[in-house]
Amino acid sequence: METRRLELLAELSRLGSMRAVAEALGTTTSTVSQQIAALARETDTTLIEPDGRRVRLTPAGRRLADHAVTILAAVEAARLDLGPGAEPHGTLRVAGFGTAIRAYLLPIVTELAASHPQVRVLIREHEPAEALHALAADETDLALTYDYNLAPATLDPSVGATPLWTTEWGLGVPAGTQVPEGTALDVVTHFRAENWIVNSRNSADEVAIRTLASMADFTPRVTHQADSLDLVQAMIAAGLGVGLLPGDLAPFPGVRIVRLAAPRVVLRAYAVARHGSINWPPLALVTDLLARRTGADTQQTGADPRPPGRPPPGQ
């Protein structure tokens, strides 16, 4: 049943004539009559009957008019609840990588407990590909993801990405290793014979490494894989190889992080949501808080998002 027809029936019950309904709603008597007749066909029920030169509701018509008032009130409540200006409340599901959750999302969850207690956040740790898969399957509402400037992600047209922050990455090598002066290509070429350590759950850093190596005209020997940056550092300190690490990371004893330039390796973080959900109040609130906390521009981007400015030191 169309809510517009239910509205006409409810107004007919309240005002008593089709002419009065037409005047109240800015339409014609003929339109009111046609829509009521269509509603009667939809319900397979006689809703009105002649009453002299006017009409009146049948008992079934009065019952449906009572239902219409309740239905229309529920529809209006839903509209106000889901509209961009509504007070945020509800459960927001977030899937994202550990750094984004630990450094940015968890402080926001703590703030929400005081400022918006009706917003509940459910968190699942996932690497970008896993988080985007969960988003596509409607298993999460917000995906916190990343890519690299040397390994840009291509997003599905059904989603939009809000840039959050960027971080320059360097090359983690055993402390005390002699590293030549020069460009990133000079640095990686120096380690061309080493084993290379990559992420075990996301391919972006391996793509970035292979891109750098191809620019330096060699193929890296990728051997070890680890999900934890702490484990990557421990492997490097143990002499198992070299690998990419955040440039602002505090290195373990036995690890040195060499800055890479020309080209740089830059991680770019995003908050990704389906276009149809972007304005849902809890989602819009958390996305805005993330953007504010990271100092990012909240403009939505499409499949090839440009990176925002770098975050404050240490973030």
Side-chain angles (χ1 to χ4, degrees):
M1 289 180 283
E2 293 186 8
T3 55
R4 175 62 173 172
R5 291 169 182 168
L6 291 175
E7 181 184 12
L8 292 171
L9 184 68
E11 287 297 291
L12 181 58
S13 175
R14 184 175 70 89
L15 299 174
S17 77
M18 291 191 180
R19 176 177 293 180
V21 172
E23 291 175 353
L25 299 182
T27 186
T28 65
T29 303
S30 174
T31 297
V32 174
S33 176
Q34 291 171 7
Q35 293 301 304
I36 296 293
L39 184 60
R41 290 192 297 272
E42 285 180 348
T43 58
D44 194 24
T45 305
T46 301
L47 301 176
I48 59 175
E49 58 188 4
D51 183 23
R53 299 182 61 182
R54 306 174 66 180
V55 296
R56 64 185 177 194
L57 297 181
T58 64
R62 289 194 298 272
R63 289 198 302 273
L64 184 56
D66 291 340
H67 284 301
V69 172
T70 302
I71 292 169
L72 293 169
V75 170
E76 178 64 11
R79 184 186 68 80
L80 294 174
D81 182 48
L82 299 176
E87 180 66 21
H89 73 273
T91 299
L92 176 69
R93 302 165 299 170
V94 182
F97 62 105
T99 299
I101 293 172
R102 182 173 55 254
Y104 299 110
L105 182 61
L106 290 182
I108 288 172
V109 171
T110 301
E111 293 174 8
L112 290 174
S115 63
H116 295 82
Q118 296 186 69
V119 175
R120 181 185 180 210
V121 180
L122 298 182
I123 300 172
R124 296 169 63 183
E125 183 184 5
H126 281 306
E127 284 295 312
E130 300 164 342
L132 291 173
H133 177 76
L135 188 66
D138 194 25
E139 295 172 354
T140 193
D141 304 302
L142 180 64
L144 303 180
T145 71
Y146 64 86
D147 68 1
Y148 292 93
N149 62 324
L150 297 184
T154 300
L155 298 180
D156 188 275
S158 65
V159 303
T162 298
L164 295 179
W165 78 88
T166 64
T167 301
E168 287 195 29
W169 280 46
L171 185 64
V173 304
T177 302
Q178 294 296 318
V179 181
E181 297 285 340
T183 68
L185 302 185
D186 295 323
V187 172
V188 298
T189 298
H190 182 74
F191 294 95
R192 63 187 302 158
E194 295 289 334
N195 293 327
W196 288 76
I197 304 166
V198 299
N199 193 314
S200 60
R201 291 169 53 204
N202 186 55
S203 62
D205 70 327
E206 181 174 348
V207 173
I209 287 170
R210 292 189 180 279
T211 299
L212 269 178
S214 68
M215 295 169 69
D217 198 27
F218 75 94
T219 299
R221 185 170 63 246
V222 174
T223 52
H224 308 292
Q225 296 182 329
D227 176 44
S228 163
L229 290 177
D230 285 351
L231 184 52
V232 172
Q233 290 210 70
M235 287 179 171
I236 294 171
L240 298 184
V242 299
L244 294 178
L245 291 172
D248 54 10
L249 186 68
F252 281 11
V255 176
R256 174 187 177 188
I257 301 177
V258 180
R259 182 175 181 270
L260 299 175
R264 299 183 304 155
V265 178
V266 181
L267 178 145
R268 310 178 297 188
Y270 309 97
V272 184
R274 294 181 297 275
H275 285 301
S277 304
I278 285 172
N279 291 325
W280 181 42
L283 176 58
L285 172 65
V286 171
T287 300
D288 181 65
L289 291 174
L290 283 167
R292 289 174 183 271
R293 180 168 287 273
T294 60
D297 185 349
T298 58
Q299 181 179 0
Q300 293 290 332
T301 66
D304 184 21
R306 300 272 74 86
R310 183 166 180 169
Q315 295 187 345

